[in-house]
Amino acid sequence: MRERKPVRLDGKVAIVTGSGRGLGHAYALALAAAGAAVVVNDLDADVAEKTAEEIRGAGGQAVAEVCAVGSAESADALVGRAVSEFGRLDVMCTNAGALRDRTLVKVTDEEFDLVVDSHVRGTFTCGRAAVRRFREQGGGGRLILVGSPAGQYGGFGQTAYAASKAAIIAMVRVWSVETAKLGVTVNAIVPTALTRMAATIPSLTEAVAAVEAGGPVPADLRRRGIGTVEDVAPLVVYLSSDEAAGVTGQYLGFGGDKFAIWAHPKEAFVTHRDGGWSADQLAEDFAGFAEHLQSHTPPGR
Ligand SMILES: NC(=O)c1ccc[n+]([C@@H]2O[C@H](COP(=O)([O-])OP(=O)(O)OC[C@H]3O[C@@H](n4cnc5c(N)ncnc54)[C@H](O)[C@@H]3O)[C@@H](O)[C@H]2O)c1
């Protein structure tokens, strides 16, 4: 068997939003280790600068651009920085975002806006700025968006977050079609890892603390797709590479020892009635449809 060449990103330039800590930090380090120059971003200046220094200390190329993603100005600043420092842009990974879980009756407008602005508007503005640059540059590009199991299933107390992550998956559907002719691929990773954000989920708080204390991730959690941030980073490196040129319009679950390809939505049951239905007719027919109603219970994590 012919030996496969290692996946390399030499000469490529990537932006990872929210890469001062957590998953984004692992993505930035892994992209740089594979040869890419990286624009590290975070709204927290200390962790952004520290990540860029860590990459440079390991012999890689990185700069920090400190801003809160959401606005068009931040997105333009990020793309502008990639071009001014490294001459081009090849990969935009829209990882940044905040979590403020609260049930519907308790969630405030401010909490909702913070989550939606960082995830939805941040993905929109950064995706748009990147594709404008890819079009100008020619030669394609990579958009790597970030979903969540919450966006696929919903999750208790996650109105803003689940809606945001579902919206990001909708952007994959739209953008992968719109940008195909530019040679741009658009995919979402649906990651799971033990991070500061995961620690806010009660069932994972203990596991995050154990891993932060240097312990291993229990095998049953890894099997369920929950591991370290480093477990998720290889998918970002792969999707950024020339090897993944044919992969677009996908949502890929990744974490621990698990890899998953998510299905696109499809109608679960279809029937027809000539002339359509009145409410009375629906009341009569609905019992016959009931066995096809879909469960929306999120699986236990
Ligand atoms: N941890 C998980 O299991 C998990 C699961 C599904 C999805 N995700 C997604 O992965 C991404 C990273 O999550 P994480 O667990 O590493 O979170 P984290 O909180 O550990 O790290 C997120 C980083 O983003 C930064 N950030 C937040 N809002 C920002 C903004 N507007 N602009 C710039 N930086 C901002 C934070 O300062 C922080 O450094 C998020 O999009 C999250 O929704 C995580």
Side-chain angles (χ1 to χ4, degrees):
M1 207 172 72
R2 202 164 58 90
E3 223 168 85
R4 169 171 288 287
K5 281 203 308 209
V7 173
R8 292 292 306 172
L9 304 174
D10 303 291
K12 293 191 191 297
V13 179
I15 297 170
V16 184
T17 66
S19 48
R21 48 170 95 75
L23 283 158
H25 176 263
Y27 302 160
L29 262 58
L31 289 165
V38 180
V39 176
V40 173
N41 156 261
D42 210 284
L43 50 72
D44 181 334
D46 285 353
V47 292
E49 297 291 357
K50 222 168 118 197
T51 303
E53 271 165 32
E54 198 179 341
I55 291 172
R56 292 193 297 266
Q61 298 180 78
V63 290
E65 181 68 25
V66 178
C67 60
V69 302
S71 68
E73 290 73 25
S74 292
D76 291 344
L78 284 168
V79 173
R81 190 74 192 277
V83 174
S84 66
E85 291 283 345
F86 303 119
R88 57 183 293 112
L89 179 68
D90 300 282
V91 180
M92 170 66 86
C93 177
T94 54
N95 164 80
L99 189 66
R100 294 288 182 279
D101 285 356
R102 252 191 233 262
T103 54
L104 177 59
V105 291
K106 290 190 183 150
V107 70
T108 65
D109 288 23
E110 291 71 26
E111 287 163 342
F112 184 86
D113 288 347
L114 177 74
V115 174
V116 171
D117 272 0
S118 56
H119 289 281
V120 182
R121 184 164 278 280
T123 300
F124 157 59
T125 55
C126 290
R128 182 179 59 182
V131 172
R132 284 177 176 162
R133 176 66 202 174
F134 295 153
R135 190 178 55 177
E136 195 183 321
Q137 218 171 244
R142 301 279 184 273
L143 288 186
I144 304 172
L145 313 189
V146 176
S148 166
Q152 308 295 102
Y153 296 120
F156 191 89
Q158 298 198 299
T159 297
Y161 185 67
S164 297
K165 290 306 197 184
I168 289 168
I169 296 299
M171 289 184 207
V172 172
R173 290 184 202 124
V174 174
W175 294 354
S176 59
V177 173
E178 283 187 5
T179 64
K181 61 181 183 304
L182 299 174
V184 174
T185 68
V186 187
N187 297 287
I189 50 177
V190 180
T192 35
L194 295 167
T195 65
R196 185 182 74 139
M197 186 181 279
T200 66
I201 301 166
S203 61
L204 296 178
T205 311
E206 218 174 280
V208 173
V211 168
E212 275 174 359
V217 181
D220 66 313
L221 271 191
R222 292 193 58 84
R223 191 84 187 154
R224 282 164 52 201
I226 302 168
T228 65
V229 292
E230 288 78 18
D231 288 322
V232 185
L235 181 59
V236 176
V237 172
Y238 171 70
L239 289 174
S240 300
S241 72
D242 293 343
E243 281 83 346
V247 182
T248 194
Q250 305 298 316
Y251 345 126
L252 304 171
F254 206 57
D257 296 335
K258 184 174 165 189
F259 169 83
I261 299 176
W262 281 87
H264 294 291
K266 59 178 188 211
E267 292 163 329
F269 168 71
V270 178
T271 186
H272 301 90
R273 185 171 197 282
D274 291 342
W277 278 266
S278 65
D280 287 342
Q281 189 65 51
L282 263 180
E284 191 169 324
D285 292 356
F286 212 87
F289 306 157
E291 64 174 300
H292 303 286
L293 291 175
Q294 302 292 296
S295 159
H296 66 281
T297 311
R301 292 179 67 188

